[in-house]
């Protein structure tokens, strides 16, 4: 059975991003349903998969990362409003039997993602 996981890398400081709040939503048409909330550990990962087994279904999802709050807690001087604040990654799960790893690579000025394994 498949699973959904994530991690966050702080490339501004060259380390995993610990303590980033994350929300996971299922998306259908114009509505979103909160499925899970987590925070990253010292390795920038969640302690458990966000979804796994029968709870991971085919469909559209959004991961929302509180990146701006993380950088503010690190003492980074940020403009108001923040350039990178809440990062939303919208993605689809086509085959829930596979593993979907959706990491965030982030600085106060940029971010990227990719599908890992």
């Amino acid at each position: 059975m498949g699973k959904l996981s994530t991690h966050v890398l702080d490339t501004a400081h060259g380390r995993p991003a610990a303590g980033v709040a994350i929300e996971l939503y299922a998306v259908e048409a114009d509505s979103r349903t909160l499925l899970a909330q987590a925070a990253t550990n010292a390795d920038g990962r969640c302690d458990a998969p966000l979804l796994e087994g029968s709870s991971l279904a085919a469909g559209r999802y959004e991961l929302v990362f509180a990146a701006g709050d993380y950088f503010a807690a690190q003492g980074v001087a940020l403009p108001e409003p923040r350039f990178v604040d809440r990062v939303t990654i919208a993605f689809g799960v086509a085959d829930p039997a596979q593993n979907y790893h959706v990491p965030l690579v982030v600085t106060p000025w940029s971010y990227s993602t990719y599908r890992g394994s």
Side-chain angles (χ1 to χ4, degrees):
M1 308 249 21
K3 66 181 178 185
L4 171 64
S5 59
T6 189
H7 73 273
V8 183
L9 299 172
D10 172 354
T11 54
H13 296 103
R15 63 181 179 226
V20 177
I22 301 168
E23 298 168 342
L24 172 66
Y25 293 90
V27 179
E28 293 184 34
D30 292 334
S31 68
R32 297 185 331 160
T33 302
L34 181 64
L35 299 178
Q37 293 178 299
T40 56
N41 59 25
D43 194 34
R45 300 175 183 275
C46 298
D47 290 330
L50 296 169
L51 295 175
E52 63 183 325
S54 62
S55 64
L56 179 62
R60 298 187 185 284
Y61 295 89
E62 288 181 359
L63 279 168
V64 181
F65 300 85
D69 291 345
Y70 163 79
F71 284 112
Q74 301 304 303
V76 176
L78 301 170
E80 188 57 45
R82 299 168 179 165
F83 183 73
V84 170
D85 193 17
R86 293 177 53 85
V87 175
T88 300
I89 300 174
F91 64 98
V93 169
D95 181 357
Q98 294 185 18
N99 291 336
Y100 286 80
H101 184 67
V102 184
L104 176 66
V105 180
V106 66
T107 78
W109 311 108
S110 65
Y111 62 89
S112 66
T113 190
Y114 56 93
R115 180 176 173 194
S117 57

